[in-house]
């Protein structure tokens, strides 16, 4: 199925309004049977265009659903990607307003800061490592602007819905200790995710496609297929190596990355 430009715009606007009002909408796949991956990325792109039109700027990309843990958590079996803007960046140690997100969940990731661009269908992990200036611990805040299960049909979200929803991205926190990509074994970075001092999830970075840089290989090839590429200076989230942990007002979230340090944030209490 290929949606009309007007339908694409309507879906993007609905997601944008849902994010600002914190009122979820019906997923595109239940509104438009046959909703395709091509349709989904067009909706995502239209939503990004709306963000840019009001003054946000692109700072990078995120790769989602790269680990088996994440795929099992959401019942989706293929990676996806989304776009990061400066409005999504949250300071390490920040108190997040309790009304900023709908149902925030937190994921453990490594971020890659690129010193040179990546493009083409034949990019390799060696190209990715050569193009990377810094690797830094990160927490991604994900949110869902559509019903996880449709209230009318009970149909669950699928990967196309996730893609249209900018791959569920809502926020980015980076911190800890940046390292050069050849300073450590990037496969063996630990992640211990705490909520209110209790360990909720643990994982290791090899859970992301065997090596977190493989996520950027996948992303570069996907972008090439649609005529674009990763640019120098971009920050790329490589994908979560734990399942997401939900947060609610009053919670403190902390992730320990071993020798790479820690990231902490909290959600303010409701008034």
């Amino acid at each position: 199925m290929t949606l009309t430009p007007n339908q694409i715009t309507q879906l993007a606007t609905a997601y944008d309004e849902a994010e600002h009002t914190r009122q979820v909408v019906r997923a595109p796949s239940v509104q438009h049977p046959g909703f395709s991956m091509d349709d989904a990325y067009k909706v995502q792109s239209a939503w990004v265009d709306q963000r840019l039109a009001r003054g946000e700027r692109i700072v990078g990309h995120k790769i989602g659903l790269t680990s088996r843990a994440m795929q099992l958590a959401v019942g989706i079996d293929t990676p996806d990607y989304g776009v990061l803007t400066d409005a999504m960046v949250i300071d390490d140690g920040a108190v997040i307003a309790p009304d900023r997100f709908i149902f925030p969940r937190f994921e453990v990731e490594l971020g890659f800061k690129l010193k040179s661009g990546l493009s083409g269908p034949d990019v390799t992990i060696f190209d990715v490592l050569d193009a990377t200036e810094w690797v830094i611990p990160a927490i991604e805040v994900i949110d869902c602007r559509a019903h996880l299960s449709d209230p009318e049909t009970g149909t669950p979200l699928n990967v196309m819905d996730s893609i249209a929803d900018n791959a569920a991205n809502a926020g980015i926190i980076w911190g800890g200790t940046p390292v050069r990509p050849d300073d450590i074994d990037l496969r063996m970075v630990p992640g211990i995710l705490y909520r209110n001092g209790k360990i909720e999830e643990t994982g290791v970075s090899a859970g992301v496609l065997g090596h977190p840089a493989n996520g950027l290989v996948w992303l570069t090839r996907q972008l090439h297929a649609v005529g674009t590429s990763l640019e120098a200076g971009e920050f790329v989230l490589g994908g979560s190596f734990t399942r997401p942990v939900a947060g609610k007002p009053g919670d403190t979230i902390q992730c320990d990355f071993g020798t790479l340090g820690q990231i902490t944030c909290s959600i303010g209490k409701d008034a």
Side-chain angles (χ1 to χ4, degrees):
M1 180 178 184
T2 299
L3 300 185
T4 67
N6 186 55
Q7 289 172 319
I8 295 290
T9 299
Q10 287 177 344
L11 289 171
T13 299
Y15 275 130
D16 197 53
E17 291 177 351
E19 182 171 78
H20 286 93
T21 64
R22 301 177 69 229
Q23 299 296 314
V24 294
V25 296
R26 296 188 75 198
S29 64
V30 296
Q31 298 184 61
H32 303 281
F35 185 68
S36 70
M37 192 168 292
D38 183 56
D39 291 326
Y41 278 115
K42 286 180 180 178
V43 173
Q44 180 189 118
S45 180
W47 189 10
V48 171
D49 286 345
Q50 292 180 7
R51 292 176 178 274
L52 299 182
R54 60 171 174 263
E56 296 181 32
R57 61 181 180 84
I58 293 175
V59 297
H61 285 77
K62 68 151 286 184
I63 310 163
L65 307 178
T66 50
S67 69
R68 187 63 176 156
M70 276 303 302
Q71 291 178 358
L72 289 172
V74 298
I76 292 172
D77 61 1
T78 183
D80 63 5
Y81 66 84
V83 176
L84 307 176
T85 77
D86 59 331
M88 301 170 185
V89 177
I90 300 168
D91 291 337
D92 185 13
V95 177
I96 300 169
D99 60 351
R100 176 164 180 174
F101 302 118
I102 300 168
F103 180 57
R105 291 171 291 165
F106 298 83
E107 297 180 346
V108 177
E109 313 205 12
L110 290 178
F112 291 71
K113 186 64 181 292
L114 300 180
K115 62 184 177 183
S116 56
L118 286 165
S119 62
D122 302 316
V123 68
T124 68
I125 190 171
F126 306 108
D127 299 319
V128 170
L129 295 174
D130 188 53
T132 299
E133 184 172 17
W134 295 102
V135 178
I136 189 169
I139 288 178
E140 181 182 5
V141 186
I142 62 171
D143 206 357
C144 193
R145 275 68 63 156
H147 294 283
L148 295 175
S149 178
D150 186 65
E152 296 183 23
T153 66
T155 304
L157 287 178
N158 61 35
V159 68
M160 276 70 75
D161 299 318
S162 174
I163 291 167
D165 196 9
N166 198 30
N169 178 260
I172 323 146
I173 309 167
W174 58 75
T177 304
V179 293
R180 302 292 185 183
D182 55 355
D183 282 351
I184 62 169
D185 184 351
L186 291 177
R187 300 172 306 125
M188 292 297 154
V189 178
I192 307 172
L193 190 59
Y194 298 81
R195 179 175 54 196
N196 301 327
K198 178 182 178 182
I199 295 174
E200 297 284 354
E201 281 290 330
T202 63
V204 65
S205 52
V208 178
L209 300 174
H211 191 298
N214 280 327
L216 280 75
V217 173
W218 176 87
L219 175 60
T220 303
R221 294 175 179 177
Q222 295 299 308
L223 292 177
H224 173 77
V226 295
T228 186
S229 61
L230 293 172
E231 303 296 329
E234 282 200 47
F235 176 84
V236 183
L237 286 172
S240 180
F241 43 100
T242 67
R243 291 175 296 184
V245 170
K248 64 182 186 302
D251 283 349
T252 295
I253 303 294
Q254 179 184 27
C255 187
D256 187 342
F257 291 84
T259 58
L260 296 193
Q262 300 182 355
I263 298 174
T264 303
C265 67
S266 59
I267 304 174
K269 294 182 179 179
D270 287 325

